[in-house]
Amino acid sequence: MADTTARRYSIGAMIFHWTIAVAVIWNWRLAENAHHTDDRAQAMAIFADHKALGITILVLTVGRLLWRWTHPVPPLPSDLAGWEKALARTVHVIFYVLLIGLPLGGWMANSLNGRDIDFFGLFTIPALPIGTNEDLGGTIFDLHALGGSIFIYLIALHILGALKHTFFDKNGGIFRMLPFGKVPG
């Protein structure tokens, strides 16, 4: 049940949001850098960090979902049009699907290719017990890349929406997810 008196997200929700946001953008840049290097060893090292950060994003997302289910979220601003509310909810659902599906898909594709995941040199995450199938692993890697591209476009849409609501609609927009700034009552 949403707390209809709260206008901002909780500090915990803010920490999860911004930590995951930075991690996702960083992880996208890692993948881009790996794809654009001509040195195979360097690309593999970058992808190792990409995979470890992906697992970190998965764990943070599970934590964020647990937080969300146990802490009320503020209602959407009342001045939003019906289509804006529907779009906001849809994009958020897709975000969660991608935040869980992309890391799991990457882990699955690595597993199908017989690879463990090195977690920043601290420990190894074993391959999922699903056998090997390099063709299927390659297909999942392709879907993973497509999902990552879709995610970046949705992030841009999310940022544009937050800026629109902050500076044009003046309904609090981005300040709902920051501990400062004005959120109108």
Side-chain angles (χ1 to χ4, degrees):
M1 173 183 283
D3 176 1
T4 58
T5 61
R7 293 177 294 172
R8 286 183 205 280
Y9 285 85
S10 67
I11 293 296
M14 290 179 196
I15 291 168
F16 275 117
H17 176 273
W18 293 108
T19 302
I20 291 170
V22 168
V24 166
I25 298 298
W26 183 2
N27 219 22
W28 169 66
R29 289 305 312 147
L30 285 172
E32 288 296 308
N33 289 343
H35 280 297
H36 291 97
T37 184
D38 294 330
D39 182 341
R40 179 160 167 72
Q42 184 180 15
M44 297 311 290
I46 295 169
F47 270 126
D49 287 344
H50 173 80
K51 294 170 191 180
L53 188 53
I55 295 295
T56 303
I57 291 167
L58 176 62
V59 170
L60 287 169
T61 300
V62 170
R64 181 175 181 177
L65 284 169
L66 291 171
W67 184 271
R68 185 178 175 103
W69 288 327
T70 59
H71 293 77
V73 298
L76 291 171
S78 59
D79 66 336
L80 294 184
W83 69 268
E84 288 176 306
K85 290 178 182 179
L87 181 61
R89 288 186 180 111
T90 301
V91 168
H92 278 94
V93 167
I94 295 170
F95 277 169
Y96 283 114
V97 168
L98 292 171
L99 285 167
I100 292 170
L102 288 174
L104 286 178
W107 188 7
M108 183 182 296
N110 274 283
S111 298
L112 288 165
N113 283 288
R115 287 182 250 160
D116 298 331
I117 296 175
D118 174 62
F119 192 79
F120 299 115
L122 299 173
F123 55 88
T124 300
I125 299 169
L128 295 167
I130 56 176
T132 57
N133 182 333
E134 291 185 11
D135 289 338
L136 180 57
T139 299
I140 293 172
F141 274 132
D142 291 343
L143 291 171
H144 178 83
L146 176 62
S149 295
I150 291 168
F151 202 3
I152 291 303
Y153 289 117
L154 288 176
I155 289 168
L157 178 67
H158 181 67
I159 292 168
L160 288 173
L163 293 174
K164 174 198 177 286
H165 296 305
T166 302
F167 299 109
F168 292 103
D169 301 340
K170 300 191 185 307
N171 67 9
I174 198 169
F175 298 118
R176 291 166 34 90
M177 191 51 86
L178 291 169
F180 56 84
K182 183 171 173 45
V183 180

